[in-house]
Amino acid sequence: MNPFVLLAALPLMAMAPMTIAAMQWERRVLLVSASAADDAMLAEQRRVVARWKAEGEARDLSVVEVVGERVVGAADRAASLRRRYGLPASGFGAVLIGKDGGVKLRSSRPLSSAVLAEAIDAMPMRRSGGR
């Protein structure tokens, strides 16, 4: 399956991607990393995100993928994101980044919509009435 077709289902991918740092205070980021486009866990995370599109949008969530050396959804470089967020060079990794820029959740397996909702809804900016 064409990965670009799947990416069209990801919530709020900016037309002209900005860096993750530039998203701070505006967006939460689900940063997903895989060494190859055919990674089964990457496919599962994409399915979760696609089914959770409206809920993710309501929570100001953007998805950034690092697949091999390619980054989709942000202007950052793959090596820089892996280093900064401790993502593996091979295999799968997922990191949820809050609006404050801090890592809120880290996993070596796909994150379920229930886990994402619980983590985001517990964030101070979300609880205080902000999105």
Side-chain angles (χ1 to χ4, degrees):
M1 180 174 255
N2 183 337
F4 298 107
V5 172
L6 286 174
L7 290 176
L10 297 177
L12 299 175
M13 292 289 213
M15 296 304 268
M18 38 182 172
T19 65
I20 288 178
M23 294 181 206
Q24 190 170 344
W25 303 116
E26 299 295 324
R27 310 289 306 161
R28 295 176 182 92
V29 176
L30 176 59
L31 178 58
V32 180
S33 174
S35 46
D38 62 354
D39 184 285
M41 287 193 272
L42 174 62
E44 175 58 24
Q45 189 67 74
R46 286 175 172 167
R47 282 190 291 275
V48 168
V49 168
R51 287 190 304 260
W52 203 60
K53 183 177 182 184
E55 291 86 346
E57 288 173 353
R59 291 169 172 85
D60 296 332
L61 183 68
S62 291
V63 177
V64 175
E65 286 190 2
V66 180
V67 180
E69 293 306 310
R70 182 178 174 90
V71 177
V72 177
D76 302 277
R77 295 184 48 186
S80 173
L81 289 175
R82 284 196 175 99
R83 187 173 43 255
R84 181 172 181 191
Y85 294 103
L87 292 166
S90 64
F92 179 86
V95 175
L96 179 62
I97 303 165
K99 286 185 176 183
D100 66 357
V103 172
K104 307 303 180 187
L105 191 60
R106 178 182 304 278
S107 180
S108 60
R109 306 207 40 88
L111 295 168
S112 70
S113 56
V115 167
L116 288 168
E118 182 179 335
I120 292 170
D121 292 348
M123 292 178 184
M125 289 183 76
R126 178 87 173 148
R127 286 193 325 239
S128 68
R131 292 179 54 156

